[in-house]
Amino acid sequence: MEKIRARCEENGDCLLWPGAITTRGPVVTLNQKQIQLRRVVWEDAHQKPFPPDRVASVDCGHINCLAGAHIIARTRAQLVARTNRMHASAGRNAKIANGKRRASKLSEEAAEEIRTSGLSAQEMSEKHSITKAYVYMIRAGHFRRNYSSPFAGLGAR
Ligand SMILES: [Zn+2]
């Protein structure tokens, strides 16, 4: 245990292992046997053998963390549920990011350049991969008000 701790780097509450890492976390190979260090740390912290039906998992998000308080003996079902939750939120975040990217396809800077540049609408449309009609719209000051459909709302005036 002392050797393990001595090799780790403190990072807040975490003890980060600088050596080899697998999907099961930090490992060392001793006498050609791979030893899962999370289990060793858990056993040291709880003073009992690691439950064979559990998986040693960390709660702090650092896959290489070996802090005794961060290592949890999870059942496989708990682990699967947790992984699914993380994937679900990752998917949601990606969707939000995509939406934001679409909404700001043209940056303010690009719009400003289009408004003020002496280049033709043709050149501007090629440079920013937008339609010439959109260039005219931006130059006419309609930028963003109707960005989802440049022609929406025109009939209302
Ligand atoms: Zn940690």
Side-chain angles (χ1 to χ4, degrees):
M1 268 313 296
E2 262 60 66
K3 268 197 211 164
I4 294 172
R5 282 213 187 93
R7 279 194 63 183
C8 285
E9 189 185 310
E10 278 186 49
N11 182 339
D13 291 342
C14 294
L15 282 174
L16 304 182
W17 175 250
I21 293 165
T22 70
T23 50
R24 291 286 167 82
V27 292
V28 284
T29 306
L30 269 186
N31 304 325
Q32 300 181 350
K33 249 189 88 181
Q34 198 178 67
I35 297 173
Q36 294 181 32
L37 292 180
R38 282 179 189 167
R39 291 179 174 226
V40 176
V41 172
W42 191 94
E43 287 176 354
D44 182 71
H46 294 81
Q47 294 295 306
K48 61 182 179 186
F50 192 84
D53 58 335
R54 301 288 177 104
V55 178
S57 170
V58 279
D59 228 15
C60 59
H62 292 111
I63 188 174
N64 57 337
C65 180
L66 285 176
H70 295 176
I71 296 170
I72 294 167
R74 285 194 162 92
T75 64
R76 286 186 186 280
Q78 283 172 333
L79 204 67
V80 168
R82 181 165 174 271
T83 307
N84 287 345
R85 248 194 332 273
M86 290 195 312
H87 285 175
S89 76
R92 199 160 52 238
N93 291 344
K95 250 180 229 159
I96 291 166
N98 277 339
K100 280 194 184 139
R101 254 199 304 282
R102 258 200 302 282
S104 58
K105 186 180 160 208
L106 209 58
S107 68
E108 288 291 351
E109 288 88 321
E112 186 60 28
E113 187 193 340
I114 288 165
R115 278 190 215 105
T116 56
S117 162
L119 293 175
S120 72
Q122 177 69 44
E123 286 166 308
M124 278 288 117
S125 72
E126 274 163 18
K127 182 170 178 194
H128 296 289
S129 345
I130 54 176
T131 64
K132 265 202 284 182
Y134 199 5
V135 174
Y136 291 129
M137 295 290 290
I138 290 164
R139 285 190 167 162
H142 296 303
F143 179 60
R144 270 160 200 265
R145 222 175 298 161
N146 300 307
Y147 86 84
S148 58
S149 163
F151 303 104
L154 283 186
R157 283 187 299 170

